[in-house]
Amino acid sequence: MSRRKFSPQLTLLAFAVTAILIGCSERNGQEDRTDSSDTSAAIDETAAVRDASNPFFMEWETPFGIPPFEQIRDEHYKPAFERAIEEQRADIEKIRNNPEPPTFENTLEALELAGPSLELVSSVFANITNTDTNDSLQELEVEISPILTREIVAIYLDDMIFQRVNTLYEQRDSLALDEEQARLLELTHRDFVRRGAALDEKSKIRMKDINARLSELNTVFAQNLLKETKGFELVITEESELAGLPAAQIGSARSKAESKNRPDAWVFGLDRATFESFMTFADNRELRKQMFDGYRSRGGQGGENDNRDVLSEMANLRAERAELLGYASHSEYQLETRMAKTPEKAEGFLLEVWKPGLERTRAELAEMQKIVEEEGHEFIIEGWDWWYYAEKLRQKKYALDESETKPYFELQNVREGLFHVANRLFGLTFEALENVPLWNPLVQPYAVYGSEGEFLGVYMVDYYARDSKRGGAWMSTYRDASDIRETNVRPIVTNNLNLSMPAEGEPTLLNFSQVETMFHEFGHGLHGLMTTVRYPRFSGTSGSPRDFVEFPSQFMEHYASEPEVLAVYAKHTETGEVIPPELVEKIRASSKHNQGFQTTEYIAASLLDLNWHNLSAKQAAAVEDTKKFENDVLDSYGNPAEIGPRYRSPYFSHIFAGGYSAGYYAYLWSEILDADGFTAFKEAGNIYDPELALRLKENVYQAGGRRHADVLYRDFRGEDPSIEPLLRIRGLN
């Protein structure tokens, strides 16, 4: 998952947006004062016309409060931010200057309720710049990010606000707070301290500058990567060079070529679905190499979109910021609040799985090299061969051909399978919505209801790749759940994938990895939809540490391959026949196939992440060649030359343009939890066991972040997790 909103882990998203256009707002105000009265009048008249048509300045009379996407234009965002900032500032001033002694209501809850307009516009803007961006929005995003961050930091470093929070924290044992109130006070105080509230003035000034620059670099990194990804095209003009590729992918490539006025060609891009399929099935080794090199070289090719200097500066600034706060490294700072606690524990855990993963990798490589020799070739397997020969080995060992399974995994049927599991586990129902606003015509919206018929929220899915959409798969929200002072706000949750658009009239068929991705993101969606917390700080995924937040999503992946679930959704797209048991058994038997590769490339990236962020400021500043640093790190762990990390540094957006810095290990850490948790259901003999499902619902999907992650898991499972189920499921024990 990747949730890229503007929230910088403050108690309320609105805080995160307070600063968005402060510089512009102040500058515009000064310009108004220096203009002539006639010019000022003209400006005021223009502003009035502009404001009258701006959807952000109106009440939204839309179903469920869904943003009126068709009315929102690019030019609406900036004035909406400007006005909302003023409102946010007024809310903060009321808290800061309140003459009454601080109370939970006039300080903590007031902070949670501050700036609703900013929360609104920032949520829409952040989501749209992820799914339907353009040059104008990207320019505004670069302008917004550093100004936003400066204001966020200013709030954390505000002595008057902090003193009110700190006073409550010191009185916490006598305030008679309930569990969720006490948790909010604990985390809010912790945030202020960890963001520098106790620093001296000189350090606070430096902290503001560092965070503003990091915010700018984060946005630049993401935009550079999007441009690099969009800029690559593999154009094939000879039909013979398409050998091995699935018919659906060929049709999609033809459609893409036609959209670019190349009816005589086939065009392949670098979205993940296209890349994986091409690397798996294309017989032409030279073309596989071109695709591989295009994917792996993004962000590191020189020119204006090169990310190497960007990421190097980010690592340096993060290390400096950590040292200002009294930590040895950014990793130490980040992991203090997570389940792993320390970089050493996170690395030790990774290495515990790394060693059996490497052993499996060597065995896989030997088996694939044998196939190369049997085919009469003399080359040694390289990175661009692994996917291709792994598929051949899979077919050889398990007689499982993806072209045989994909007709059973039609997109809409898989979606119905997701809904079925949610209904059996938690009693949820999903009703398709019509005539509601959508940000793209391909979006599918649903109203979601709980087991007692209560409205839980709106669920909107956006499955297909397009040039205006960032890569990957993620869950996000247009509105988080909360129930402050009995308002009962329900969320608007989105799931986003990047599936290749099929040729016109053809169904969207998935491989099983894509099916698992749908179940994964659906798990995140359920976490957001089912939450029953009072405060936005704890809502769904927002309140969970990185190494716990993937548990609810990865847990759902297990259901994808269960026979009784497959019987519901795995129906042949032409005949309607349910997938036969023998094919199910092949899928399950092959689930451990290529686990050496998958484990190794993932852990390599996780170790690379930790090593970037284990650097002190002095060490980070001394890194002159990012590629050499990366290679030295990988060599030190014995990473196989044929398998690079899942992400090279210049396109490692999880850690340089997302929220996973010093935290990419979290997926595997959470896998301990999901493997152990699902094992409980299997041992109970019922994958929908009512007692376990209720504990899972109450202590994970509904609980958000109201308690420590360790406590939440034990409340569900009854004991701490064991690593053995993870090793067994991956076939590494």
Side-chain angles (χ1 to χ4, degrees), residues 381-587:
I381 284 182
E382 301 281 359
W384 51 90
D385 299 312
W386 195 289
W387 296 74
Y388 182 74
Y389 281 97
E391 175 63 17
K392 288 200 169 190
L393 180 60
R394 185 168 70 94
Q395 293 182 28
K396 179 180 179 180
K397 294 178 70 172
Y398 305 103
L400 184 63
D401 188 337
E402 192 172 279
S403 64
E404 184 182 7
T405 62
K406 288 184 75 170
Y408 291 98
F409 301 136
E410 192 273 329
L411 176 64
Q412 304 306 326
N413 287 342
V414 176
R415 182 204 61 207
E416 292 304 314
L418 305 177
F419 295 170
H420 173 83
V421 171
N423 180 262
R424 290 293 307 276
L425 267 178
F426 305 125
L428 273 57
T429 56
F430 295 75
E431 294 184 5
L433 294 173
E434 297 181 356
N435 302 316
V436 300
L438 306 173
W439 63 89
N440 189 286
L442 297 173
V443 173
Q444 300 171 18
Y446 299 87
V448 186
Y449 298 91
S451 57
E452 302 299 320
E454 72 278 18
F455 175 67
L456 294 184
V458 174
Y459 176 61
M460 309 179 84
V461 293
D462 185 353
Y463 288 134
Y464 292 103
R466 48 188 176 269
D467 287 344
S468 61
K469 189 177 184 181
R470 76 177 182 87
W474 70 95
M475 167 267 190
S476 190
T477 61
Y478 278 93
R479 183 177 65 220
D480 286 330
S482 65
D483 194 12
I484 303 178
R485 302 173 187 173
E486 300 182 353
T487 54
N488 194 25
V489 175
R490 296 311 303 167
I492 300 174
V493 172
T494 77
N495 271 173
N496 301 271
L497 277 69
N498 268 280
L499 302 175
S500 299
M501 179 67 69
E504 187 175 354
E506 295 295 321
T508 302
L509 304 181
L510 312 181
N511 61 40
F512 192 68
S513 176
Q514 292 167 330
V515 172
E516 289 181 314
T517 297
M518 283 187 65
F519 274 81
H520 177 104
E521 297 304 336
F522 184 63
H524 283 309
L526 293 179
H527 202 185
L529 286 162
M530 295 171 65
T531 185
T532 57
V533 297
R534 191 181 317 158
Y535 302 110
R537 171 60 191 266
F538 308 136
S539 180
T541 60
S542 301
S544 300
R546 285 293 179 201
D547 44 11
F548 183 82
V549 76
E550 297 299 336
F551 164 48
S553 57
Q554 292 176 181
F555 175 83
M556 291 301 299
E557 291 183 42
H558 292 277
Y559 285 85
S561 59
E562 286 296 306
E564 58 192 283
V565 180
L566 285 163
V568 171
Y569 77 84
K571 299 178 181 179
H572 198 282
T573 186
E574 295 180 358
T575 67
E577 172 196 9
V578 173
I579 191 168
E582 58 271 20
L583 198 51
V584 173
E585 185 53 39
K586 287 182 181 181
I587 292 173

Side-chain angles (χ1 to χ4, degrees), residues 10 25 59 90 110 112 114 156 170 217 250-251 256 261 274 341 472 525 535 585 600 605 648 664:
L10 252 173
S25 178
E59 290 292 327
E112 285 283 289
Y156 276 121
E170 291 176 345
L217 292 170
I250 293 173
K256 187 168 186 175
N261 296 316
T274 297
K341 305 302 183 190
Y535 302 110
E585 185 53 39
T600 300
R648 293 282 182 183
Y664 192 62

